[in-house]
Amino acid sequence: MLARGYVLFEVEPASGDVALERLTHHSLGGCKVLASGIFPGEIIAHLEADGLENFNAALVELLGETGVRRATTLRITTTP
């Protein structure tokens, strides 16, 4: 099953570019991340993972990145 979702990351404004770089180039098993800064302190990311378990694991790992304050999942879809 493939899980796709959009996540809004709130980051410390001073670490915006660094946080974007880390979120975009983070190595996650079974998950791809495409991220873009939309406002100072906010990054939107599209995550695509091999199943909800990998999606959730990737999200938890990304929350641990320096400068990330909070993550809000906006939408998740799954396909067989």
Side-chain angles (χ1 to χ4, degrees):
M1 170 175 44
L2 189 64
R4 293 185 179 129
Y6 292 95
V7 179
L8 177 65
F9 289 95
E10 295 176 45
V11 298
E12 296 173 11
S15 67
D17 290 339
V18 174
L20 177 60
E21 184 74 21
R22 288 184 178 170
L23 291 176
T24 302
H25 294 98
H26 198 96
S27 177
L28 301 168
C31 186
K32 300 176 193 171
V33 179
L34 176 62
S36 179
I38 54 173
F39 292 108
E42 292 185 349
I43 296 171
I44 188 79
H46 176 99
L47 278 68
E48 184 176 293
D50 299 328
L52 286 174
E53 299 83 18
N54 288 336
F55 186 94
N56 289 333
L59 186 55
V60 167
E61 195 168 330
L62 292 170
L63 275 166
E65 282 294 331
T66 303
V68 175
R69 290 183 178 169
R70 181 182 351 205
T72 303
T73 303
L74 303 174
R75 179 181 176 180
I76 297 177
T77 59
T78 58
T79 57

